[in-house]
Amino acid sequence: MDDKMNYYPISRKEWQGFYHNGKAPLTEEELEDIKGFNDQISLQDVQDIYVPLTHLIHLYMKEFESLTVSKGLFLHEYVPVPPFIIGIAGSVAVGKSTTARLLQLILSRTFKRRNVQLITTDGFLYPNKVLAEKGIMDRKGFPESYDMEKLIDFLNQVKNSQEEIKAPLYSHSVYDIIEGEYEVIQQPDILIVEGINTLQLPANQQIYVSDFFDFSVFVDAEPKLIEKWYLERFGALLDTAFLDPDNYYYQYAIGNRDDAFAMAKEVWKTVNLKNLEEYILPTRGRADIILHKTENHIIDEIFMRKY
């Protein structure tokens, strides 16, 4: 990676040796439940990679809380500790959703008194109707397809510990925002924000989404490998979508499979790969931790930011 000078490269073997006291705080069945389509992860991966990562996050949390106390001492008043926000970024199909759900479960089990919640930035995409009106339906997932002002306002409310905050709900089945339905975030101690755009620079806002993050993770892999996972996931979606006429993928599931995969390959090339190369990969160097994956979603190397 071009930005590796800013990071400590750490092999999997080194990384797992940094924290010996932890065991995977979940069962095989629970791990199966949170895995994404076609994602491959084992309890050994949890113990080798995610338990040390949780320990590192805890170190960041302690520093964050200490700084808050110091601010209060400086101001001669009580300053409440705001929610600790973790950003998780990476390409479509790289497995960042599994990473986010897994971290939520591990953090909840490790810090039992902490309220750990998860949100995805998919809910902050403009509805398909709006994208069509703007003439950017074919740019869905690109920076301009997100309502960044709404996302920044949401994060600002979280940091200010508002009691109940509504976030729009996105359905991958219908490939659109579900009108009138919301996810409710209720004063989390830790909030995980997952999405392809979490580390991107804004087009015209003065505040970055990442300004709200206290720790960030980028899930990384070679583009050819991500394409392979993307197409495998597409095939898995077709295998279930034919049962549901309301599913976005139903039309492809009941049609010619070769035609469906030809369409998926074109979408990867013209949308997802383009977005990855032009907008997502350039944000990798802003992450605190980069989890690098190889074949079968195995994390073989970790990069930890130096400064």
Side-chain angles (χ1 to χ4, degrees):
M1 52 185 286
D2 297 336
D3 39 22
K4 65 182 178 183
M5 286 183 63
N6 299 331
Y7 289 84
Y8 298 108
I10 306 164
S11 70
R12 182 186 178 108
K13 189 172 182 181
E14 279 183 287
W15 180 262
Q16 70 187 70
F18 289 152
Y19 190 63
H20 297 287
N21 299 330
K23 290 186 178 179
L26 71 164
T27 65
E28 192 75 57
E29 292 74 19
E30 288 172 324
L31 185 59
E32 283 297 319
D33 285 343
I34 64 174
K35 281 201 301 194
F37 263 115
N38 202 50
D39 205 349
Q40 299 174 44
I41 190 169
S42 67
L43 285 178
Q44 192 64 51
D45 295 324
V46 175
Q47 191 158 324
D48 291 351
I49 304 297
Y50 288 94
V51 171
L53 178 59
T54 301
H55 179 58
L56 180 64
I57 290 171
H58 188 212
L59 297 178
Y60 273 73
M61 286 168 56
K62 287 196 291 188
E63 288 299 313
F64 173 72
E65 290 162 3
S66 176
L67 179 59
T68 302
V69 170
S70 297
K71 286 178 181 177
L73 292 172
F74 177 79
L75 294 169
H76 299 287
E77 64 180 64
Y78 170 69
V79 176
V81 177
F84 186 88
I85 301 184
I86 300 169
I88 298 180
S91 170
V92 166
V94 79
K96 63 189 179 303
S97 296
T98 296
T99 293
R101 290 192 294 267
L102 184 54
L103 269 180
Q104 182 189 21
L105 182 58
I106 294 174
L107 288 167
S108 297
R109 295 276 170 87
T110 304
F111 309 111
K112 297 189 187 325
R113 296 183 180 179
R114 307 288 179 107
N115 175 15
V116 186
Q117 296 183 43
L118 167 65
I119 197 84
T120 74
T121 61
D122 292 338
F124 295 91
L125 283 160
Y126 287 113
N128 287 349
K129 186 173 93 170
V130 175
L131 293 175
E133 288 170 358
K134 289 174 174 282
I136 56 171
M137 193 65 190
D138 61 341
R139 299 277 295 177
K140 190 170 184 176
F142 285 78
E144 64 268 31
S145 66
Y146 288 90
D147 189 339
M148 296 302 286
E149 286 187 17
K150 183 182 282 188
L151 176 55
I152 287 169
D153 182 58
F154 167 82
L155 292 172
N156 198 33
Q157 291 180 63
V158 171
K159 275 295 188 186
N160 282 283
S161 299
Q162 291 202 14
E163 285 192 14
E164 284 194 351
I165 312 164
K166 287 183 177 180
L169 192 62
Y170 184 85
S171 168
H172 286 276
S173 295
V174 300
Y175 198 61
D176 201 358
I177 301 294
I178 303 177
E179 192 173 344
E181 291 192 30
Y182 302 90
E183 290 187 70
V184 179
I185 299 300
Q186 297 178 305
Q187 294 185 305
D189 298 303
I190 303 170
L191 177 67
I192 299 169
V193 181
E194 176 259 311
I196 61 175
N197 64 330
T198 55
L199 298 176
Q200 283 173 12
L201 302 181
N204 47 29
Q205 291 83 15
Q206 296 301 308
I207 302 174
Y208 300 170
V209 170
S210 59
D211 286 344
F212 294 94
F213 295 162
D214 305 295
F215 188 83
S216 56
V217 177
F218 189 97
V219 185
D220 193 28
E222 292 303 313
K224 288 301 291 182
L225 201 49
I226 303 174
E227 178 185 11
K228 177 187 170 190
W229 297 336
Y230 173 77
L231 294 173
E232 287 173 350
R233 187 179 74 174
F234 178 75
L237 287 167
L238 294 188
D239 291 341
T240 57
F242 73 93
L243 297 170
D244 180 10
D246 293 327
N247 191 297
Y248 174 78
Y249 295 95
Y250 178 77
Q251 58 183 319
Y252 303 109
I254 63 171
N256 182 282
R257 202 168 176 90
D258 288 340
D259 290 344
F261 270 93
M263 180 278 301
K265 288 175 183 175
E266 185 63 19
V267 169
W268 169 261
K269 181 181 175 182
T270 59
V271 179
N272 295 314
L273 180 60
K274 186 177 175 66
N275 199 8
L276 174 61
E277 291 178 339
E278 294 183 9
Y279 297 103
I280 301 171
L281 273 180
T283 71
R284 182 175 58 187
R286 309 188 79 221
D288 294 304
I289 286 288
I290 299 169
L291 301 177
H292 183 267
K293 288 185 171 185
T294 184
E295 290 283 351
N296 301 317
H297 285 268
I298 297 294
I299 296 171
D300 62 341
E301 198 167 16
I302 298 92
F303 295 86
M304 185 169 75
R305 193 173 179 82
K306 291 179 180 178
Y307 44 80

